[in-house]
Amino acid sequence: MKIMDHLAPKQIDNIKKQVKKPKLKEWEIKELMGTNRDTYKRVNGAVRRR
């Protein structure tokens, strides 16, 4: 059994209000996706940054 099964409905509502998911900003999402990374390409055996 979970702890939530033993609580009153009011207590459950209070807990759900207190627990909030952090909202990520647009630049944080892009950084996680890797859109701002450098791209590399092999040219004549050397690795060059594009």
mmCIF file of all heavy atoms in Angstrom:
data_model
loop_
_atom_site.group_PDB
_atom_site.id
_atom_site.type_symbol
_atom_site.label_atom_id
_atom_site.label_comp_id
_atom_site.label_asym_id
_atom_site.label_seq_id
_atom_site.Cartn_x
_atom_site.Cartn_y
_atom_site.Cartn_z
ATOM 1 N N MET A 1 0.833 -1.185 0.000
ATOM 2 C CA MET A 1 0.000 0.000 0.000
ATOM 3 C C MET A 1 0.874 1.242 0.000
ATOM 4 O O MET A 1 1.952 1.267 0.556
ATOM 5 C CB MET A 1 -0.903 0.027 1.215
ATOM 6 C CG MET A 1 -2.014 -0.992 1.223
ATOM 7 S SD MET A 1 -3.121 -0.679 2.576
ATOM 8 C CE MET A 1 -4.522 -0.123 1.687
ATOM 9 N N LYS A 2 0.354 2.255 -0.608
ATOM 10 C CA LYS A 2 1.063 3.520 -0.666
ATOM 11 C C LYS A 2 0.575 4.429 0.453
ATOM 12 O O LYS A 2 -0.495 4.229 1.027
ATOM 13 C CB LYS A 2 0.833 4.190 -2.010
ATOM 14 C CG LYS A 2 1.405 3.402 -3.163
ATOM 15 C CD LYS A 2 1.214 4.155 -4.447
ATOM 16 C CE LYS A 2 1.833 3.377 -5.585
ATOM 17 N NZ LYS A 2 1.690 4.101 -6.850
ATOM 18 N N ILE A 3 1.362 5.435 0.753
ATOM 19 C CA ILE A 3 1.006 6.392 1.797
ATOM 20 C C ILE A 3 -0.255 7.148 1.409
ATOM 21 O O ILE A 3 -1.088 7.474 2.253
ATOM 22 C CB ILE A 3 2.165 7.370 2.042
ATOM 23 C CG1 ILE A 3 3.359 6.607 2.605
ATOM 24 C CG2 ILE A 3 1.763 8.479 2.989
ATOM 25 C CD1 ILE A 3 4.596 7.445 2.761
ATOM 26 N N MET A 4 -0.402 7.420 0.105
ATOM 27 C CA MET A 4 -1.559 8.182 -0.362
ATOM 28 C C MET A 4 -2.880 7.468 -0.030
ATOM 29 O O MET A 4 -3.909 8.108 0.090
ATOM 30 C CB MET A 4 -1.471 8.399 -1.874
ATOM 31 C CG MET A 4 -0.285 9.237 -2.299
ATOM 32 S SD MET A 4 -0.383 10.935 -1.791
ATOM 33 C CE MET A 4 -1.301 11.605 -3.152
ATOM 34 N N ASP A 5 -2.861 6.160 0.103
ATOM 35 C CA ASP A 5 -4.083 5.415 0.417
ATOM 36 C C ASP A 5 -4.577 5.703 1.835
ATOM 37 O O ASP A 5 -5.755 5.530 2.135
ATOM 38 C CB ASP A 5 -3.844 3.916 0.259
ATOM 39 C CG ASP A 5 -3.535 3.534 -1.172
ATOM 40 O OD1 ASP A 5 -3.952 4.278 -2.088
ATOM 41 O OD2 ASP A 5 -2.877 2.504 -1.378
ATOM 42 N N HIS A 6 -3.693 6.140 2.711
ATOM 43 C CA HIS A 6 -4.055 6.355 4.107
ATOM 44 C C HIS A 6 -4.387 7.808 4.426
ATOM 45 O O HIS A 6 -4.757 8.116 5.547
ATOM 46 C CB HIS A 6 -2.900 5.907 5.016
ATOM 47 C CG HIS A 6 -2.596 4.450 4.895
ATOM 48 N ND1 HIS A 6 -3.393 3.469 5.420
ATOM 49 C CD2 HIS A 6 -1.585 3.800 4.273
ATOM 50 C CE1 HIS A 6 -2.891 2.280 5.155
ATOM 51 N NE2 HIS A 6 -1.775 2.448 4.440
ATOM 52 N N LEU A 7 -4.274 8.693 3.462
ATOM 53 C CA LEU A 7 -4.510 10.112 3.709
ATOM 54 C C LEU A 7 -5.939 10.504 3.365
ATOM 55 O O LEU A 7 -6.602 9.866 2.551
ATOM 56 C CB LEU A 7 -3.556 10.960 2.869
ATOM 57 C CG LEU A 7 -2.072 10.804 3.166
ATOM 58 C CD1 LEU A 7 -1.268 11.644 2.204
ATOM 59 C CD2 LEU A 7 -1.747 11.199 4.586
ATOM 60 N N ALA A 8 -6.367 11.598 3.989
ATOM 61 C CA ALA A 8 -7.686 12.160 3.698
ATOM 62 C C ALA A 8 -7.622 12.905 2.360
ATOM 63 O O ALA A 8 -6.550 13.338 1.940
ATOM 64 C CB ALA A 8 -8.102 13.109 4.813
ATOM 65 N N PRO A 9 -8.758 13.063 1.699
ATOM 66 C CA PRO A 9 -8.758 13.758 0.404
ATOM 67 C C PRO A 9 -8.195 15.182 0.464
ATOM 68 O O PRO A 9 -7.518 15.629 -0.460
ATOM 69 C CB PRO A 9 -10.228 13.784 0.006
ATOM 70 C CG PRO A 9 -10.841 12.640 0.735
ATOM 71 C CD PRO A 9 -10.067 12.506 2.004
ATOM 72 N N LYS A 10 -8.439 15.902 1.564
ATOM 73 C CA LYS A 10 -7.905 17.256 1.710
ATOM 74 C C LYS A 10 -6.385 17.234 1.782
ATOM 75 O O LYS A 10 -5.704 18.089 1.215
ATOM 76 C CB LYS A 10 -8.480 17.930 2.952
ATOM 77 C CG LYS A 10 -9.927 18.325 2.820
ATOM 78 C CD LYS A 10 -10.397 19.063 4.049
ATOM 79 C CE LYS A 10 -11.869 19.438 3.909
ATOM 80 N NZ LYS A 10 -12.372 20.154 5.095
ATOM 81 N N GLN A 11 -5.854 16.259 2.498
ATOM 82 C CA GLN A 11 -4.400 16.148 2.613
ATOM 83 C C GLN A 11 -3.771 15.811 1.254
ATOM 84 O O GLN A 11 -2.711 16.328 0.907
ATOM 85 C CB GLN A 11 -4.024 15.076 3.637
ATOM 86 C CG GLN A 11 -4.371 15.454 5.063
ATOM 87 C CD GLN A 11 -4.125 14.319 6.033
ATOM 88 O OE1 GLN A 11 -4.261 13.161 5.674
ATOM 89 N NE2 GLN A 11 -3.772 14.665 7.268
ATOM 90 N N ILE A 12 -4.424 14.966 0.477
ATOM 91 C CA ILE A 12 -3.928 14.610 -0.849
ATOM 92 C C ILE A 12 -3.897 15.841 -1.747
ATOM 93 O O ILE A 12 -2.927 16.075 -2.473
ATOM 94 C CB ILE A 12 -4.793 13.492 -1.470
ATOM 95 C CG1 ILE A 12 -4.622 12.198 -0.680
ATOM 96 C CG2 ILE A 12 -4.419 13.264 -2.924
ATOM 97 C CD1 ILE A 12 -5.566 11.091 -1.090
ATOM 98 N N ASP A 13 -4.938 16.669 -1.698
ATOM 99 C CA ASP A 13 -4.992 17.888 -2.501
ATOM 100 C C ASP A 13 -3.868 18.853 -2.112
ATOM 101 O O ASP A 13 -3.246 19.476 -2.971
ATOM 102 C CB ASP A 13 -6.345 18.576 -2.362
ATOM 103 C CG ASP A 13 -7.467 17.788 -3.024
ATOM 104 O OD1 ASP A 13 -7.167 16.968 -3.913
ATOM 105 O OD2 ASP A 13 -8.638 17.997 -2.645
ATOM 106 N N ASN A 14 -3.622 18.978 -0.804
ATOM 107 C CA ASN A 14 -2.559 19.872 -0.339
ATOM 108 C C ASN A 14 -1.196 19.409 -0.847
ATOM 109 O O ASN A 14 -0.370 20.225 -1.258
ATOM 110 C CB ASN A 14 -2.544 19.962 1.183
ATOM 111 C CG ASN A 14 -3.701 20.766 1.722
ATOM 112 O OD1 ASN A 14 -4.273 21.576 1.001
ATOM 113 N ND2 ASN A 14 -4.055 20.544 2.972
ATOM 114 N N ILE A 15 -0.958 18.123 -0.823
ATOM 115 C CA ILE A 15 0.323 17.586 -1.289
ATOM 116 C C ILE A 15 0.480 17.816 -2.785
ATOM 117 O O ILE A 15 1.549 18.213 -3.259
ATOM 118 C CB ILE A 15 0.430 16.076 -0.952
ATOM 119 C CG1 ILE A 15 0.557 15.895 0.559
ATOM 120 C CG2 ILE A 15 1.617 15.450 -1.659
ATOM 121 C CD1 ILE A 15 0.484 14.459 1.010
ATOM 122 N N LYS A 16 -0.568 17.603 -3.554
ATOM 123 C CA LYS A 16 -0.489 17.801 -5.002
ATOM 124 C C LYS A 16 -0.252 19.270 -5.353
ATOM 125 O O LYS A 16 0.415 19.572 -6.335
ATOM 126 C CB LYS A 16 -1.758 17.299 -5.672
ATOM 127 C CG LYS A 16 -1.844 15.787 -5.691
ATOM 128 C CD LYS A 16 -3.064 15.305 -6.436
ATOM 129 C CE LYS A 16 -3.109 13.788 -6.445
ATOM 130 N NZ LYS A 16 -4.299 13.289 -7.135
ATOM 131 N N LYS A 17 -0.788 20.194 -4.569
ATOM 132 C CA LYS A 17 -0.570 21.616 -4.820
ATOM 133 C C LYS A 17 0.876 22.004 -4.530
ATOM 134 O O LYS A 17 1.448 22.849 -5.203
ATOM 135 C CB LYS A 17 -1.507 22.463 -3.961
ATOM 136 C CG LYS A 17 -2.943 22.432 -4.438
ATOM 137 C CD LYS A 17 -3.817 23.271 -3.541
ATOM 138 C CE LYS A 17 -5.284 23.155 -3.939
ATOM 139 N NZ LYS A 17 -6.159 23.892 -3.015
ATOM 140 N N GLN A 18 1.476 21.404 -3.519
ATOM 141 C CA GLN A 18 2.830 21.757 -3.121
ATOM 142 C C GLN A 18 3.868 21.222 -4.106
ATOM 143 O O GLN A 18 4.885 21.865 -4.342
ATOM 144 C CB GLN A 18 3.133 21.222 -1.724
ATOM 145 C CG GLN A 18 2.361 21.930 -0.631
ATOM 146 C CD GLN A 18 2.591 21.311 0.728
ATOM 147 O OE1 GLN A 18 3.285 20.315 0.862
ATOM 148 N NE2 GLN A 18 1.996 21.898 1.744
ATOM 149 N N VAL A 19 3.623 20.072 -4.684
ATOM 150 C CA VAL A 19 4.575 19.461 -5.603
ATOM 151 C C VAL A 19 4.316 20.012 -7.006
ATOM 152 O O VAL A 19 3.287 19.758 -7.608
ATOM 153 C CB VAL A 19 4.438 17.921 -5.604
ATOM 154 C CG1 VAL A 19 5.371 17.307 -6.614
ATOM 155 C CG2 VAL A 19 4.681 17.373 -4.219
ATOM 156 N N LYS A 20 5.279 20.793 -7.515
ATOM 157 C CA LYS A 20 5.142 21.374 -8.841
ATOM 158 C C LYS A 20 6.332 20.953 -9.686
ATOM 159 O O LYS A 20 7.451 20.875 -9.197
ATOM 160 C CB LYS A 20 5.079 22.891 -8.766
ATOM 161 C CG LYS A 20 3.846 23.411 -8.085
ATOM 162 C CD LYS A 20 3.798 24.915 -8.084
ATOM 163 C CE LYS A 20 2.539 25.404 -7.387
ATOM 164 N NZ LYS A 20 2.488 26.865 -7.338
ATOM 165 N N LYS A 21 6.084 20.703 -10.957
ATOM 166 C CA LYS A 21 7.157 20.345 -11.868
ATOM 167 C C LYS A 21 7.867 21.620 -12.314
ATOM 168 O O LYS A 21 7.213 22.626 -12.579
ATOM 169 C CB LYS A 21 6.596 19.616 -13.095
ATOM 170 C CG LYS A 21 5.983 18.282 -12.771
ATOM 171 C CD LYS A 21 5.481 17.607 -14.017
ATOM 172 C CE LYS A 21 4.818 16.287 -13.687
ATOM 173 N NZ LYS A 21 4.277 15.643 -14.884
ATOM 174 N N PRO A 22 9.179 21.578 -12.386
ATOM 175 C CA PRO A 22 9.887 22.773 -12.848
ATOM 176 C C PRO A 22 9.651 22.984 -14.347
ATOM 177 O O PRO A 22 9.707 22.044 -15.134
ATOM 178 C CB PRO A 22 11.350 22.448 -12.581
ATOM 179 C CG PRO A 22 11.416 20.963 -12.558
ATOM 180 C CD PRO A 22 10.083 20.512 -12.030
ATOM 181 N N LYS A 23 9.363 24.224 -14.711
ATOM 182 C CA LYS A 23 9.132 24.531 -16.121
ATOM 183 C C LYS A 23 10.453 24.955 -16.740
ATOM 184 O O LYS A 23 11.137 25.833 -16.223
ATOM 185 C CB LYS A 23 8.091 25.639 -16.264
ATOM 186 C CG LYS A 23 6.719 25.197 -15.813
ATOM 187 C CD LYS A 23 5.680 26.242 -16.117
ATOM 188 C CE LYS A 23 4.304 25.748 -15.714
ATOM 189 N NZ LYS A 23 3.269 26.708 -16.040
ATOM 190 N N LEU A 24 10.800 24.319 -17.848
ATOM 191 C CA LEU A 24 12.045 24.640 -18.523
ATOM 192 C C LEU A 24 11.836 25.806 -19.479
ATOM 193 O O LEU A 24 10.792 25.921 -20.106
ATOM 194 C CB LEU A 24 12.543 23.414 -19.306
ATOM 195 C CG LEU A 24 12.906 22.197 -18.476
ATOM 196 C CD1 LEU A 24 13.279 21.047 -19.393
ATOM 197 C CD2 LEU A 24 14.044 22.497 -17.538
ATOM 198 N N LYS A 25 12.862 26.634 -19.583
ATOM 199 C CA LYS A 25 12.813 27.745 -20.518
ATOM 200 C C LYS A 25 13.151 27.232 -21.907
ATOM 201 O O LYS A 25 13.653 26.128 -22.084
ATOM 202 C CB LYS A 25 13.800 28.817 -20.087
ATOM 203 C CG LYS A 25 13.446 29.406 -18.733
ATOM 204 C CD LYS A 25 14.448 30.413 -18.301
ATOM 205 C CE LYS A 25 14.086 30.910 -16.903
ATOM 206 N NZ LYS A 25 15.128 31.703 -16.313
ATOM 207 N N GLU A 26 12.877 28.054 -22.902
ATOM 208 C CA GLU A 26 13.066 27.627 -24.295
ATOM 209 C C GLU A 26 14.523 27.288 -24.580
ATOM 210 O O GLU A 26 14.827 26.284 -25.218
ATOM 211 C CB GLU A 26 12.597 28.731 -25.233
ATOM 212 C CG GLU A 26 12.658 28.334 -26.693
ATOM 213 C CD GLU A 26 12.127 29.406 -27.610
ATOM 214 O OE1 GLU A 26 11.468 30.334 -27.121
ATOM 215 O OE2 GLU A 26 12.381 29.305 -28.815
ATOM 216 N N TRP A 27 15.478 28.106 -24.060
ATOM 217 C CA TRP A 27 16.884 27.847 -24.335
ATOM 218 C C TRP A 27 17.360 26.587 -23.623
ATOM 219 O O TRP A 27 18.258 25.891 -24.123
ATOM 220 C CB TRP A 27 17.755 29.043 -23.979
ATOM 221 C CG TRP A 27 17.790 29.373 -22.513
ATOM 222 C CD1 TRP A 27 16.950 30.190 -21.827
ATOM 223 C CD2 TRP A 27 18.717 28.858 -21.554
ATOM 224 N NE1 TRP A 27 17.279 30.226 -20.507
ATOM 225 C CE2 TRP A 27 18.370 29.429 -20.301
ATOM 226 C CE3 TRP A 27 19.793 28.001 -21.623
ATOM 227 C CZ2 TRP A 27 19.077 29.140 -19.139
ATOM 228 C CZ3 TRP A 27 20.491 27.719 -20.461
ATOM 229 C CH2 TRP A 27 20.134 28.294 -19.233
ATOM 230 N N GLU A 28 16.768 26.252 -22.470
ATOM 231 C CA GLU A 28 17.137 25.021 -21.768
ATOM 232 C C GLU A 28 16.681 23.795 -22.558
ATOM 233 O O GLU A 28 17.407 22.802 -22.634
ATOM 234 C CB GLU A 28 16.515 25.001 -20.376
ATOM 235 C CG GLU A 28 17.113 26.008 -19.424
ATOM 236 C CD GLU A 28 16.411 26.034 -18.085
ATOM 237 O OE1 GLU A 28 15.176 25.881 -18.052
ATOM 238 O OE2 GLU A 28 17.113 26.215 -17.080
ATOM 239 N N ILE A 29 15.508 23.880 -23.162
ATOM 240 C CA ILE A 29 15.006 22.769 -23.969
ATOM 241 C C ILE A 29 15.892 22.570 -25.194
ATOM 242 O O ILE A 29 16.260 21.449 -25.534
ATOM 243 C CB ILE A 29 13.547 23.025 -24.378
ATOM 244 C CG1 ILE A 29 12.648 23.005 -23.139
ATOM 245 C CG2 ILE A 29 13.073 21.980 -25.378
ATOM 246 C CD1 ILE A 29 11.235 23.455 -23.390
ATOM 247 N N LYS A 30 16.267 23.680 -25.851
ATOM 248 C CA LYS A 30 17.128 23.582 -27.029
ATOM 249 C C LYS A 30 18.496 23.014 -26.664
ATOM 250 O O LYS A 30 19.083 22.244 -27.416
ATOM 251 C CB LYS A 30 17.283 24.941 -27.691
ATOM 252 C CG LYS A 30 16.041 25.378 -28.420
ATOM 253 C CD LYS A 30 16.251 26.700 -29.115
ATOM 254 C CE LYS A 30 15.012 27.121 -29.863
ATOM 255 N NZ LYS A 30 15.181 28.416 -30.537
ATOM 256 N N GLU A 31 19.010 23.400 -25.500
ATOM 257 C CA GLU A 31 20.314 22.889 -25.069
ATOM 258 C C GLU A 31 20.246 21.388 -24.805
ATOM 259 O O GLU A 31 21.157 20.640 -25.162
ATOM 260 C CB GLU A 31 20.772 23.629 -23.819
ATOM 261 C CG GLU A 31 22.163 23.256 -23.370
ATOM 262 C CD GLU A 31 22.614 24.086 -22.189
ATOM 263 O OE1 GLU A 31 22.310 25.299 -22.161
ATOM 264 O OE2 GLU A 31 23.262 23.526 -21.299
ATOM 265 N N LEU A 32 19.160 20.932 -24.206
ATOM 266 C CA LEU A 32 18.990 19.502 -23.949
ATOM 267 C C LEU A 32 18.872 18.715 -25.252
ATOM 268 O O LEU A 32 19.352 17.586 -25.356
ATOM 269 C CB LEU A 32 17.747 19.260 -23.086
ATOM 270 C CG LEU A 32 17.850 19.673 -21.629
ATOM 271 C CD1 LEU A 32 16.492 19.555 -20.951
ATOM 272 C CD2 LEU A 32 18.876 18.829 -20.912
ATOM 273 N N MET A 33 18.233 19.311 -26.257
ATOM 274 C CA MET A 33 18.070 18.639 -27.543
ATOM 275 C C MET A 33 19.357 18.656 -28.350
ATOM 276 O O MET A 33 19.524 17.862 -29.278
ATOM 277 C CB MET A 33 16.948 19.297 -28.349
ATOM 278 C CG MET A 33 15.592 19.053 -27.739
ATOM 279 S SD MET A 33 14.166 19.790 -28.586
ATOM 280 C CE MET A 33 14.775 20.577 -29.983
ATOM 281 N N GLY A 34 20.284 19.555 -28.016
ATOM 282 C CA GLY A 34 21.558 19.601 -28.710
ATOM 283 C C GLY A 34 21.529 20.401 -29.995
ATOM 284 O O GLY A 34 22.330 20.143 -30.900
ATOM 285 N N THR A 35 20.655 21.385 -30.108
ATOM 286 C CA THR A 35 20.559 22.149 -31.349
ATOM 287 C C THR A 35 21.672 23.178 -31.466
ATOM 288 O O THR A 35 21.975 23.624 -32.572
ATOM 289 C CB THR A 35 19.211 22.873 -31.456
ATOM 290 O OG1 THR A 35 19.041 23.705 -30.311
ATOM 291 C CG2 THR A 35 18.071 21.883 -31.529
ATOM 292 N N ASN A 36 22.316 23.570 -30.380
ATOM 293 C CA ASN A 36 23.356 24.594 -30.431
ATOM 294 C C ASN A 36 24.761 24.007 -30.515
ATOM 295 O O ASN A 36 25.739 24.723 -30.339
ATOM 296 C CB ASN A 36 23.260 25.499 -29.194
ATOM 297 C CG ASN A 36 21.987 26.307 -29.193
ATOM 298 O OD1 ASN A 36 21.452 26.618 -30.248
ATOM 299 N ND2 ASN A 36 21.482 26.632 -28.027
ATOM 300 N N ARG A 37 24.884 22.732 -30.767
ATOM 301 C CA ARG A 37 26.201 22.111 -30.826
ATOM 302 C C ARG A 37 26.869 22.372 -32.168
ATOM 303 O O ARG A 37 26.215 22.567 -33.179
ATOM 304 C CB ARG A 37 26.083 20.597 -30.628
ATOM 305 C CG ARG A 37 25.662 20.223 -29.229
ATOM 306 C CD ARG A 37 25.738 18.740 -29.067
ATOM 307 N NE ARG A 37 25.301 18.360 -27.737
ATOM 308 C CZ ARG A 37 25.221 17.128 -27.318
ATOM 309 N NH1 ARG A 37 25.536 16.132 -28.128
ATOM 310 N NH2 ARG A 37 24.825 16.850 -26.106
ATOM 311 N N ASP A 38 28.205 22.353 -32.152
ATOM 312 C CA ASP A 38 28.952 22.484 -33.391
ATOM 313 C C ASP A 38 28.813 21.206 -34.203
ATOM 314 O O ASP A 38 28.718 20.107 -33.651
ATOM 315 C CB ASP A 38 30.432 22.719 -33.103
ATOM 316 C CG ASP A 38 30.674 24.067 -32.448
ATOM 317 O OD1 ASP A 38 29.846 24.967 -32.646
ATOM 318 O OD2 ASP A 38 31.693 24.202 -31.754
ATOM 319 N N THR A 39 28.824 21.360 -35.524
ATOM 320 C CA THR A 39 28.777 20.193 -36.394
ATOM 321 C C THR A 39 30.137 20.043 -37.054
ATOM 322 O O THR A 39 30.771 21.024 -37.451
ATOM 323 C CB THR A 39 27.697 20.344 -37.478
ATOM 324 O OG1 THR A 39 27.925 21.548 -38.198
ATOM 325 C CG2 THR A 39 26.306 20.386 -36.858
ATOM 326 N N TYR A 40 30.602 18.814 -37.152
ATOM 327 C CA TYR A 40 31.912 18.526 -37.699
ATOM 328 C C TYR A 40 31.770 17.705 -38.962
ATOM 329 O O TYR A 40 30.854 16.904 -39.107
ATOM 330 C CB TYR A 40 32.765 17.771 -36.672
ATOM 331 C CG TYR A 40 33.049 18.608 -35.437
ATOM 332 C CD1 TYR A 40 32.243 18.519 -34.311
ATOM 333 C CD2 TYR A 40 34.124 19.483 -35.411
ATOM 334 C CE1 TYR A 40 32.498 19.291 -33.185
ATOM 335 C CE2 TYR A 40 34.395 20.254 -34.290
ATOM 336 C CZ TYR A 40 33.575 20.155 -33.188
ATOM 337 O OH TYR A 40 33.840 20.917 -32.089
ATOM 338 N N LYS A 41 32.699 17.917 -39.894
ATOM 339 C CA LYS A 41 32.669 17.213 -41.166
ATOM 340 C C LYS A 41 34.096 16.827 -41.529
ATOM 341 O O LYS A 41 35.033 17.604 -41.290
ATOM 342 C CB LYS A 41 32.074 18.129 -42.241
ATOM 343 C CG LYS A 41 31.843 17.463 -43.566
ATOM 344 C CD LYS A 41 31.194 18.433 -44.538
ATOM 345 C CE LYS A 41 30.943 17.754 -45.860
ATOM 346 N NZ LYS A 41 30.343 18.669 -46.831
ATOM 347 N N ARG A 42 34.260 15.666 -42.098
ATOM 348 C CA ARG A 42 35.578 15.218 -42.504
ATOM 349 C C ARG A 42 35.852 15.714 -43.929
ATOM 350 O O ARG A 42 35.110 15.429 -44.857
ATOM 351 C CB ARG A 42 35.648 13.692 -42.439
ATOM 352 C CG ARG A 42 37.044 13.155 -42.573
ATOM 353 C CD ARG A 42 37.076 11.672 -42.291
ATOM 354 N NE ARG A 42 37.039 11.360 -40.869
ATOM 355 C CZ ARG A 42 38.086 11.449 -40.057
ATOM 356 N NH1 ARG A 42 39.240 11.854 -40.488
ATOM 357 N NH2 ARG A 42 37.983 11.091 -38.791
ATOM 358 N N VAL A 43 36.943 16.486 -44.092
ATOM 359 C CA VAL A 43 37.331 17.042 -45.378
ATOM 360 C C VAL A 43 38.799 16.685 -45.638
ATOM 361 O O VAL A 43 39.689 17.149 -44.919
ATOM 362 C CB VAL A 43 37.155 18.578 -45.407
ATOM 363 C CG1 VAL A 43 37.596 19.150 -46.750
ATOM 364 C CG2 VAL A 43 35.723 18.944 -45.112
ATOM 365 N N ASN A 44 39.057 15.858 -46.644
ATOM 366 C CA ASN A 44 40.410 15.427 -46.994
ATOM 367 C C ASN A 44 41.155 14.815 -45.817
ATOM 368 O O ASN A 44 42.333 15.055 -45.598
ATOM 369 C CB ASN A 44 41.223 16.573 -47.585
ATOM 370 C CG ASN A 44 40.666 17.044 -48.914
ATOM 371 O OD1 ASN A 44 40.022 16.286 -49.617
ATOM 372 N ND2 ASN A 44 40.888 18.302 -49.232
ATOM 373 N N GLY A 45 40.470 14.052 -44.983
ATOM 374 C CA GLY A 45 41.092 13.391 -43.850
ATOM 375 C C GLY A 45 41.108 14.228 -42.579
ATOM 376 O O GLY A 45 41.350 13.705 -41.503
ATOM 377 N N ALA A 46 40.903 15.533 -42.682
ATOM 378 C CA ALA A 46 40.892 16.397 -41.502
ATOM 379 C C ALA A 46 39.462 16.636 -41.065
ATOM 380 O O ALA A 46 38.533 16.649 -41.872
ATOM 381 C CB ALA A 46 41.555 17.725 -41.821
ATOM 382 N N VAL A 47 39.263 16.812 -39.782
ATOM 383 C CA VAL A 47 37.934 17.085 -39.250
ATOM 384 C C VAL A 47 37.768 18.585 -39.121
ATOM 385 O O VAL A 47 38.549 19.249 -38.430
ATOM 386 C CB VAL A 47 37.744 16.387 -37.877
ATOM 387 C CG1 VAL A 47 36.375 16.698 -37.318
ATOM 388 C CG2 VAL A 47 37.933 14.898 -38.003
ATOM 389 N N ARG A 48 36.789 19.143 -39.804
ATOM 390 C CA ARG A 48 36.565 20.597 -39.802
ATOM 391 C C ARG A 48 35.224 20.917 -39.155
ATOM 392 O O ARG A 48 34.278 20.162 -39.277
ATOM 393 C CB ARG A 48 36.539 21.110 -41.245
ATOM 394 C CG ARG A 48 37.747 20.775 -42.065
ATOM 395 C CD ARG A 48 38.784 21.862 -41.919
ATOM 396 N NE ARG A 48 40.055 21.439 -42.509
ATOM 397 C CZ ARG A 48 40.526 21.894 -43.647
ATOM 398 N NH1 ARG A 48 39.836 22.767 -44.340
ATOM 399 N NH2 ARG A 48 41.687 21.485 -44.080
ATOM 400 N N ARG A 49 35.209 22.054 -38.519
ATOM 401 C CA ARG A 49 33.975 22.527 -37.906
ATOM 402 C C ARG A 49 33.200 23.360 -38.920
ATOM 403 O O ARG A 49 33.757 24.209 -39.590
ATOM 404 C CB ARG A 49 34.279 23.368 -36.683
ATOM 405 C CG ARG A 49 33.052 23.730 -35.889
ATOM 406 C CD ARG A 49 33.399 24.370 -34.588
ATOM 407 N NE ARG A 49 33.994 25.673 -34.820
ATOM 408 C CZ ARG A 49 34.525 26.421 -33.873
ATOM 409 N NH1 ARG A 49 34.557 25.990 -32.647
ATOM 410 N NH2 ARG A 49 35.049 27.581 -34.167
ATOM 411 N N ARG A 50 31.898 23.115 -39.000
ATOM 412 C CA ARG A 50 31.069 23.852 -39.945
ATOM 413 C C ARG A 50 30.423 25.024 -39.265
ATOM 414 O O ARG A 50 30.133 25.065 -38.143
ATOM 415 C CB ARG A 50 29.975 22.950 -40.498
ATOM 416 C CG ARG A 50 30.522 21.909 -41.422
ATOM 417 C CD ARG A 50 29.451 20.987 -41.873
ATOM 418 N NE ARG A 50 28.702 21.655 -42.944
ATOM 419 C CZ ARG A 50 27.661 21.122 -43.528
ATOM 420 N NH1 ARG A 50 27.229 19.943 -43.169
ATOM 421 N NH2 ARG A 50 27.027 21.739 -44.482
#
